Amino acid sequence: MTAPEPDPLPDDDVDWSNKRSDARRNHERVVAAAVEVFAEHGIDATIPQVAERAGVGKATVYRSFPTKDALVQAVAQYQRAWFHRRGLAALEQLNAGGDPLTILRDMLADTVERLANDRALAEALPATTPAQEPGSLQPIITAGQRQGVIREDVTAQHVKVLLGGVAGSLFRQQERDPEQWRIYGDLIFNALKKV
Amino acid sequence: MTAPEPDPLPDDDVDWSNKRSDARRNHERVVAAAVEVFAEHGIDATIPQVAERAGVGKATVYRSFPTKDALVQAVAQYQRAWFHRRGLAALEQLNAGGDPLTILRDMLADTVERLANDRALAEALPATTPAQEPGSLQPIITAGQRQGVIREDVTAQHVKVLLGGVAGSLFRQQERDPEQWRIYGDLIFNALKKV
Amino acid sequence: MTAPEPDPLPDDDVDWSNKRSDARRNHERVVAAAVEVFAEHGIDATIPQVAERAGVGKATVYRSFPTKDALVQAVAQYQRAWFHRRGLAALEQLNAGGDPLTILRDMLADTVERLANDRALAEALPATTPAQEPGSLQPIITAGQRQGVIREDVTAQHVKVLLGGVAGSLFRQQERDPEQWRIYGDLIFNALKKV
Amino acid sequence: MTAPEPDPLPDDDVDWSNKRSDARRNHERVVAAAVEVFAEHGIDATIPQVAERAGVGKATVYRSFPTKDALVQAVAQYQRAWFHRRGLAALEQLNAGGDPLTILRDMLADTVERLANDRALAEALPATTPAQEPGSLQPIITAGQRQGVIREDVTAQHVKVLLGGVAGSLFRQQERDPEQWRIYGDLIFNALKKV
DNA sequence: GATGAATGAGAATTCATTCAT
DNA sequence: CATGAATGAATTCTCATTCAT
């Protein structure tokens, strides 16, 4: 039900075959550090923070990513990719004849659990555009709407905004209680259901 | 149904009885300017921006508020106060025999409308602690729960987080369509209802 | 024959009447430091260099000039203004019936002498556009052309490029001998004369 | 009338007899690339730019030249060498009984044409010292002086400074019109003539 | 020998905060 | 009291140069 771990890191479309292994290790360290630091501090984290976490100099971060924004986008893409994969898993369940509401509830629960540990995902989620993610949440919502169990004015985008927005707020007030996070997931699930 | 205007400014627990009147006027100007500027730009607005809007020097802002954070807190308190007053108005309707769900729906609609025009409220809303705001939304929710129309695990805090979180996301993606804001209000309303 | 000393510093269109005297002094220090530092190192001089020379912090420089380019432009304008004033003085001599060739020779000599001590003027000179400087050199050249003693294909712009270019080169090779500088002025004068 | 192409590359006083041929080839590639890149961007071009143009790694550039300045000097030497060869060609014409003024005019025209397409030459030209270039322009100037058609206080160095300086200015203001470049060459020619 | 990865020093710029007037 | 001038710390980004492979 959960996504496979560890998540693959973004590859940046670089052909690493003829690069030195330590360089690749450092690149991965940078990305991993960025994922961690952004997870903790959001996209306001600074390049020096990332560099220190990775144990490299600032300029090494710039070797992998030419601007801070590029790094932010890479991490955001990585986060969206997780969400996308989770959506594909849900889609398989749906195609296997699963119940849309159940699948949706589980997916929301998983996502909230991850959001609780990853501020960057919270910030990346609403920025997703439907075209970029054919899998995602939309098919499940559509299926539920066909069955008349999900509100007809709801789209995946609404869910992402609700999830991302709530997570952002909870991070800001440093809510760490998993039970509270779970409740919010359940409330959002409830918001989508047809009365 | 809407709150009275202009909203009273926060008092900051200062004894003004022996202050010069122009000092008090400056203080109020600063707060009013801060409310406006933060409403437009969120808490990332700068002190110089606030000072300019207030028509005073930067140091005058610091006379009223020793740090930028103090000013942010004051504005946040002011925003929460608006929400609190709106809650008291709803409470009166409740005591006059109104329907909790209807009252709740109207209050959410009003709040979303205000959120759409006030970034600072979105940022301030979730930071409220229950003890600070006995009025607020809680009595309406409680009444609805007694009538069995509102989920029992829901508190005013949950609603604030949902509202503030969604508004934050919508601001970040610069969503200006009032219809979209309205839908989110409706979804949150739906989230609270008992199935 | 030479320009009045000390040259007036650029005023940046600021009304200083209600500013504190120390602020004005600091502003002037910044400008004076910038003029000096740019005179020595050209426009590649850095803001920290200017700040240190002025005995102020970097940010104080930014108070007077919002970007480095603004500072560069101010200094360049100041330099062009000197050249302009010198041109006006020459124009008066011309109107008083002076000999164009003699006036031109003197003006070139003065300018070269100043260029020898001011790298920034060398860099600013060619950037002048005729429209900006109605006085300048053009009237003298035109008068000389009317008398048939100056080449007809010559404009003030050509002279500025010759002067600025030569001075740039001499700075780069650190030529300090005034006699050499004088010779270049004389060569340029010779270049302009009709055969 | 023009110099033979391709120009020979500088030798840097290195004994290549016991070097591997590919190392020598790399060295030459670096110099050729540096000549091109500096011609386009002046000495502000970066080492990575040169390395990329040469198709080698940055460190390979540093193997041939310990600092960027060393590379700059090598390119400058190469540019001066072109000028020197052009001077030798002129010298032959002189020895064959040519007219000094005509030879000088042609040489200046050629040089200006090359300057217009080579920023590095403009920057390198004035840095020449007479001792380094016995040939160059000096013999023609001397011949012209003997005939009484060229000013007696003029040396080849003066001409180089005039040429390099003007070219530097024209590059900085991005003057691309060949006619303008030609005029400057003619003015410099005029500057040298005896009245 | 050759490579490209890594780095440190430094540049421009912004802003919360302090202080002299 | 009120002001705006001054500043230092922090941030993004660049490049000449060194070093491990």
Side-chain angles (χ1 to χ4, degrees):
Chain A
M1 199 68 71
T2 42
E5 297 290 347
D7 300 338
L9 295 172
D11 273 352
D12 301 292
D13 302 331
V14 174
D15 177 14
W16 285 101
S17 56
N18 56 349
K19 294 281 194 323
R20 294 186 326 192
S21 62
D22 63 334
R24 171 157 205 172
R25 189 159 47 245
N26 255 336
H27 175 85
E28 285 170 359
R29 262 198 227 166
V30 167
V31 178
V35 168
E36 278 180 35
V37 171
F38 285 141
E40 289 168 26
H41 301 91
I43 61 172
D44 285 345
T46 69
I47 294 283
Q49 276 180 298
V50 173
E52 194 186 10
R53 181 74 62 105
V56 300
K58 278 176 299 185
T60 302
V61 176
Y62 280 99
R63 162 160 291 276
S64 289
F65 302 95
T67 64
K68 183 190 170 179
D69 190 60
L71 179 55
V72 168
Q73 293 309 320
V75 171
Q77 179 53 37
Y78 164 71
Q79 302 291 11
R80 290 188 216 108
W82 176 88
F83 185 71
H84 189 198
R85 283 199 310 282
R86 185 61 186 78
L88 290 179
L91 186 55
E92 285 180 20
Q93 298 175 313
L94 185 68
N95 291 337
D99 170 48
L101 273 190
T102 305
I103 294 171
L104 180 61
R105 189 207 304 264
D106 289 344
M107 180 168 174
L108 289 178
D110 279 0
T111 304
V112 164
E113 186 187 335
R114 172 133 187 171
L115 283 169
N117 295 302
D118 202 324
R119 190 163 180 170
L121 179 54
E123 285 166 345
L125 209 47
T128 319
T129 64
Q132 288 174 319
E133 310 197 3
S136 169
L137 197 53
Q138 193 59 56
I140 290 90
I141 290 175
T142 305
Q145 288 170 331
R146 279 207 205 92
Q147 295 190 9
V149 291
I150 290 187
R151 286 171 58 125
E152 260 126 37
D153 57 355
V154 162
T155 67
Q157 179 63 10
H158 291 120
V159 182
K160 289 178 208 160
V161 167
L162 284 163
L163 285 168
V166 164
S169 287
L170 293 181
F171 271 114
R172 242 165 273 135
Q173 61 187 265
Q174 310 202 27
E175 174 64 72
R176 299 309 308 157
D177 180 5
E179 174 60 13
Q180 285 300 314
W181 284 80
R182 197 197 56 72
I183 291 180
Y184 284 105
D186 203 42
L187 285 172
I188 291 172
F189 174 64
N190 200 46
L192 310 179
K193 285 193 292 188
K194 203 159 195 171
V195 208
Chain B
M1 200 66 71
T2 42
E5 297 289 347
D7 300 336
L9 296 172
D11 275 353
D12 299 296
D13 304 331
V14 174
D15 177 14
W16 287 101
S17 55
N18 55 351
K19 305 273 174 178
R20 287 174 18 188
S21 64
D22 59 340
R24 171 157 205 172
R25 188 160 47 244
N26 266 339
H27 176 88
E28 286 168 358
R29 265 198 219 164
V30 166
V31 179
V35 166
E36 280 180 32
V37 172
F38 285 143
E40 289 168 27
H41 302 93
I43 60 172
D44 284 346
T46 69
I47 294 283
Q49 278 178 297
V50 173
E52 194 187 9
R53 182 77 63 106
V56 301
K58 274 176 294 191
T60 304
V61 176
Y62 279 96
R63 173 156 301 278
S64 289
F65 303 96
T67 66
K68 181 187 173 180
D69 190 60
L71 178 57
V72 168
Q73 292 311 319
V75 171
Q77 178 52 37
Y78 165 74
Q79 300 289 13
R80 290 186 218 110
W82 175 88
F83 186 71
H84 188 195
R85 282 198 311 284
R86 184 59 185 80
L88 291 178
L91 185 54
E92 286 179 19
Q93 298 176 311
L94 185 68
N95 291 337
D99 169 46
L101 273 189
T102 305
I103 295 171
L104 180 60
R105 187 203 307 260
D106 290 344
M107 180 167 173
L108 288 179
D110 278 2
T111 305
V112 164
E113 188 187 334
R114 172 137 185 170
L115 282 169
N117 295 302
D118 198 326
R119 198 162 175 167
L121 179 55
E123 285 164 346
L125 208 48
T128 322
T129 64
Q132 290 175 314
E133 309 195 5
S136 166
L137 196 55
Q138 194 57 56
I140 290 88
I141 288 175
T142 304
Q145 288 169 331
R146 279 207 207 92
Q147 293 189 10
V149 292
I150 290 186
R151 283 170 59 121
E152 261 126 37
D153 58 355
V154 161
T155 67
Q157 179 63 12
H158 292 123
V159 181
K160 290 179 209 160
V161 167
L162 284 163
L163 285 169
V166 165
S169 285
L170 292 181
F171 271 117
R172 238 165 279 136
Q173 58 189 268
Q174 310 205 31
E175 174 63 72
R176 300 307 310 157
D177 179 5
E179 174 61 11
Q180 284 299 314
W181 285 80
R182 198 197 54 71
I183 291 181
Y184 284 105
D186 203 40
L187 284 173
I188 291 172
F189 175 65
N190 200 45
L192 310 178
K193 284 194 293 188
K194 203 158 194 170
V195 206
Chain C
M1 197 68 70
T2 43
E5 297 288 348
D7 300 337
L9 295 172
D11 273 353
D12 301 293
D13 304 329
V14 174
D15 177 14
W16 286 102
S17 57
N18 56 348
K19 294 280 194 326
R20 293 184 326 189
S21 62
D22 62 335
R24 171 158 204 171
R25 190 159 45 244
N26 257 334
H27 175 85
E28 285 170 358
R29 262 198 227 166
V30 167
V31 178
V35 167
E36 278 180 36
V37 171
F38 284 139
E40 289 169 27
H41 301 92
I43 62 172
D44 285 345
T46 69
I47 294 284
Q49 275 179 299
V50 172
E52 195 186 10
R53 181 74 63 104
V56 301
K58 278 176 298 187
T60 301
V61 176
Y62 280 97
R63 162 159 292 278
S64 288
F65 302 96
T67 64
K68 182 189 170 180
D69 190 61
L71 179 55
V72 169
Q73 293 308 321
V75 171
Q77 178 52 36
Y78 164 71
Q79 302 290 11
R80 290 188 216 109
W82 176 88
F83 185 72
H84 188 198
R85 281 199 311 283
R86 185 61 187 78
L88 290 179
L91 185 54
E92 285 180 20
Q93 298 175 312
L94 184 69
N95 291 337
D99 170 47
L101 272 189
T102 306
I103 295 170
L104 180 61
R105 187 206 307 262
D106 288 344
M107 181 168 172
L108 289 178
D110 278 359
T111 305
V112 165
E113 185 187 338
R114 172 134 188 168
L115 283 169
N117 295 303
D118 202 325
R119 191 163 179 170
L121 179 54
E123 284 165 346
L125 209 46
T128 320
T129 65
Q132 288 174 318
E133 310 196 3
S136 167
L137 197 53
Q138 192 60 56
I140 289 88
I141 289 174
T142 304
Q145 288 169 331
R146 278 205 206 94
Q147 295 191 9
V149 292
I150 290 186
R151 285 171 60 124
E152 259 126 38
D153 57 355
V154 162
T155 67
Q157 179 63 12
H158 291 119
V159 182
K160 289 179 207 161
V161 167
L162 285 162
L163 285 169
V166 165
S169 286
L170 293 181
F171 271 115
R172 242 166 273 136
Q173 61 188 265
Q174 309 202 27
E175 173 64 73
R176 300 309 309 157
D177 179 5
E179 174 61 11
Q180 285 301 313
W181 284 81
R182 196 196 57 70
I183 291 180
Y184 284 105
D186 203 41
L187 285 172
I188 292 172
F189 174 64
N190 201 44
L192 311 178
K193 285 192 293 188
K194 203 158 196 171
V195 206
Chain D
M1 199 65 74
T2 42
E5 297 290 347
D7 300 336
L9 296 173
D11 274 353
D12 300 296
D13 303 332
V14 174
D15 176 14
W16 286 101
S17 55
N18 55 351
K19 305 273 176 182
R20 287 174 18 189
S21 64
D22 61 338
R24 171 156 205 173
R25 187 160 48 246
N26 267 339
H27 175 87
E28 287 169 358
R29 266 199 217 163
V30 166
V31 178
V35 166
E36 281 180 33
V37 172
F38 286 143
E40 289 168 27
H41 303 93
I43 60 172
D44 284 346
T46 68
I47 293 283
Q49 278 178 296
V50 173
E52 193 187 10
R53 182 77 62 106
V56 301
K58 274 177 292 191
T60 302
V61 176
Y62 278 96
R63 172 156 302 278
S64 289
F65 302 97
T67 66
K68 181 186 172 181
D69 191 61
L71 179 56
V72 168
Q73 291 311 319
V75 172
Q77 178 52 36
Y78 166 75
Q79 300 289 13
R80 289 185 219 112
W82 175 88
F83 186 71
H84 188 195
R85 282 198 311 284
R86 184 60 186 78
L88 289 179
L91 185 54
E92 286 179 21
Q93 299 175 310
L94 186 68
N95 291 336
D99 170 47
L101 273 189
T102 306
I103 295 171
L104 180 60
R105 188 204 306 261
D106 290 344
M107 180 168 175
L108 288 180
D110 278 1
T111 305
V112 165
E113 187 187 335
R114 172 138 185 169
L115 282 169
N117 295 302
D118 198 325
R119 197 161 176 169
L121 179 55
E123 285 163 347
L125 208 48
T128 322
T129 63
Q132 289 175 317
E133 310 195 4
S136 167
L137 195 55
Q138 193 58 56
I140 290 88
I141 290 174
T142 305
Q145 288 169 331
R146 278 205 207 94
Q147 295 190 9
V149 291
I150 291 187
R151 282 171 60 123
E152 262 127 37
D153 56 356
V154 162
T155 67
Q157 178 63 11
H158 292 122
V159 182
K160 291 179 210 160
V161 167
L162 285 163
L163 285 169
V166 165
S169 285
L170 293 182
F171 272 116
R172 238 165 279 137
Q173 59 190 266
Q174 310 203 33
E175 174 63 71
R176 299 308 310 158
D177 179 5
E179 174 62 10
Q180 284 300 314
W181 284 80
R182 198 197 56 72
I183 290 181
Y184 283 105
D186 203 41
L187 284 172
I188 291 173
F189 175 64
N190 200 45
L192 310 178
K193 284 194 292 190
K194 203 159 195 170
V195 207

